[in-house]
Amino acid sequence: MDQEQKHHIKGYEFHVTGALEKDGRYRGMILLSRRGDTAQVYAKPVLIETHSSFKSVHAALIEASAYAHELIFNGAIKALLPAADGLGAEKPVPHSSIGN
């Protein structure tokens, strides 16, 4: 299935998928498993959702893929990833602290 294909861009490794919402629309999701700038591998993938939802899962997948590319190439993905606390543990970054 296309949804299971692993993508590699600038050292980042991720999958894109679509999730069915209660209203019958699909939201694109990026599941990031490796960080490109530090090569850190996440035991549990970091979930990044798209802002928009769509009537078809195909459109949601296209949106998630395009969003991942945009975040990676402009460097904004770093702000969406958990920060390490010096002990190797990850600290979640609240989305409200991230400006668009």
Side-chain angles (χ1 to χ4, degrees):
M1 291 178 13
D2 289 335
Q3 296 150 326
E4 298 302 318
Q5 184 177 1
K6 206 177 277 189
H7 300 273
H8 301 271
I9 300 173
K10 291 186 147 189
Y12 289 90
E13 187 175 288
F14 61 94
H15 289 61
V16 294
T17 190
L20 182 61
E21 297 183 324
K22 290 180 182 179
D23 64 359
R25 297 174 65 85
Y26 294 90
R27 182 164 309 274
M29 298 188 163
I30 303 163
L31 299 166
L32 187 85
S33 56
R34 177 181 292 251
R35 191 172 174 149
D37 57 343
T38 64
Q40 178 180 5
V41 175
Y42 296 107
K44 182 178 177 185
V46 176
L47 172 66
I48 301 170
E49 295 183 358
T50 61
H51 298 288
S52 304
S53 60
F54 301 89
K55 290 183 180 180
S56 76
V57 71
H58 183 69
L61 294 174
I62 292 170
E63 174 74 4
S65 181
Y67 189 42
H69 282 76
E70 178 183 352
L71 290 172
I72 291 169
F73 283 108
N74 72 19
I77 197 162
K78 294 174 191 174
L80 297 175
L81 299 177
D85 69 1
L87 301 174
E90 298 168 6
K91 291 182 181 175
V93 177
H95 290 288
S96 61
S97 67
I98 302 165
N100 284 343

